[in-house]
Amino acid sequence: MASYRKLKKSAKKEGKFAALAAALAAPAIGSAAPAATKSLTMPVGIPGVNLKTISREVPADEPPVLPVNDKLSVLGKRTRRLDAHLKVTGQAKYTYDVNLPGMLFGRMYRSPHPHATVKSVDTSAAERYPGVKAVYIIETVMGSAIERDPNHKNPKVQSTGGKFPKVRYVGQPIAAVAATTQQAADEAARLIKVDYELLPFVTDMDEARKPDAPLVYGGKQVSMEESGGGGGAAGACPRKATCAAHPQKACLAARAATSKKALRKLKSL
């Protein structure tokens, strides 16, 4: 009887171990089945040097193996450009070549001064020029660093300091002409008369560091959200010295001057 009990107990233990082993070998409930694979034969190496063929197990949805370069028909082969003949013969059409009915040509009138206040703009002669359809005086400069003025009708745009924007760099647009031909637009733009009050400016970084250097932006709230400068430079660049040749040079000049001062200190150590 005792021997029978021992055999029964031993068999029961072996059954538990077998069940455990089977459970471990079986995939978990809800788990994905093993991905199907296939065997591919592919070339490996450099042709003419060590090229050989091997077999490899890859997923069943793997695309076909590319042949060696000599047997490719498109990859690595010279392909004729569809527009090559048109371009080399000058027959290709670009946006500039498109002329639609009713199109007008434009020309900007830009400031030749780096720092000035615009007192008046006379466009009467330009408006009378043959072929001119419209002359527009720019009252708000967009797309560059701006000095916010809480008293301005729109505090998110540049303060004009009057009717016209303050000139802060050479080439700042003052007015625009639209005409039926490019020649008419160019000639009309030359007839625009602008009365400037010239203001002092500096273009040298050392001069810009001086406490009495003229400022491009005298206010505290300067935003560069519309320019390449990002979210403004008030924290990085103190407003006590700036460079007036171009709006973004204000920050560059201050940073460069600070770097030069730091280099001098390092050299003196």
Side-chain angles (χ1 to χ4, degrees):
M1 181 65 70
S3 300
Y4 172 76
R5 289 175 180 171
K6 287 182 180 180
L7 289 172
K8 187 177 180 181
K9 188 175 183 181
S10 177
K12 192 175 182 181
K13 286 182 178 180
E14 290 180 0
K16 287 183 178 180
F17 284 123
L20 179 60
L24 292 175
I29 297 175
S31 63
T37 61
K38 63 180 179 180
S39 179
L40 282 182
T41 301
M42 60 189 69
V44 176
I46 302 174
V49 180
N50 59 349
L51 186 65
K52 61 181 180 180
T53 302
I54 64 171
S55 295
R56 181 173 295 171
E57 289 293 322
V58 298
D61 58 351
E62 187 79 7
V65 177
L66 289 175
V68 294
N69 294 347
D70 293 341
K71 297 181 180 180
L72 293 173
S73 59
V74 177
L75 296 178
K77 307 301 179 183
R78 297 177 66 89
T79 304
R80 179 184 294 273
R81 293 178 63 112
L82 298 178
D83 58 352
H85 183 267
L86 295 176
K87 286 184 175 179
V88 298
T89 57
Q91 300 179 55
K93 294 291 184 181
Y94 295 88
T95 306
Y96 184 82
D97 302 315
V98 177
N99 294 309
L100 300 177
M103 285 182 61
L104 297 178
F105 296 82
R107 176 61 66 190
M108 285 282 195
Y109 176 90
R110 299 179 181 274
S111 168
H113 306 293
H115 201 199
T117 298
V118 178
K119 300 176 66 176
S120 64
V121 180
D122 184 2
T123 62
S124 56
E127 292 172 1
R128 293 194 301 267
Y129 192 86
V132 172
K133 295 297 183 179
V135 180
Y136 178 72
I137 300 175
I138 298 172
E139 297 183 357
T140 301
V141 177
M142 306 295 290
S144 62
I146 58 175
E147 181 177 351
R148 294 180 177 177
D149 183 357
N151 298 322
H152 192 265
K153 61 181 180 180
N154 184 356
K156 291 186 178 182
V157 302
Q158 178 172 298
S159 173
T160 61
K163 182 179 180 180
F164 310 107
K166 187 175 182 180
V167 176
R168 289 185 166 92
Y169 61 93
V170 173
Q172 179 172 317
I174 304 297
V177 178
T180 54
T181 65
Q182 189 64 64
Q183 181 181 2
D186 296 344
E187 293 297 331
R190 295 188 181 99
L191 297 176
I192 296 175
K193 297 179 181 180
V194 181
D195 184 15
Y196 298 96
E197 179 184 346
L198 301 184
L199 301 175
F201 65 93
V202 293
T203 58
D204 181 78
M205 290 186 294
D206 291 327
E207 292 294 325
R209 291 184 63 244
K210 295 181 179 180
D212 58 346
L215 301 178
V216 176
Y217 296 99
K220 295 182 179 180
Q221 295 187 8
V222 178
S223 172
M224 297 177 70
E225 296 174 357
E226 300 297 328
S227 67
C237 297
R239 292 289 154 209
K240 63 181 181 180
T242 54
C243 180
H246 189 279
Q248 294 187 9
K249 284 188 178 180
C251 182
L252 294 176
R255 288 179 177 174
T258 304
S259 300
K260 289 178 67 175
K261 186 175 180 182
L263 286 174
R264 293 193 192 103
K265 286 186 177 181
L266 289 173
K267 290 179 180 179
S268 64
L269 296 177

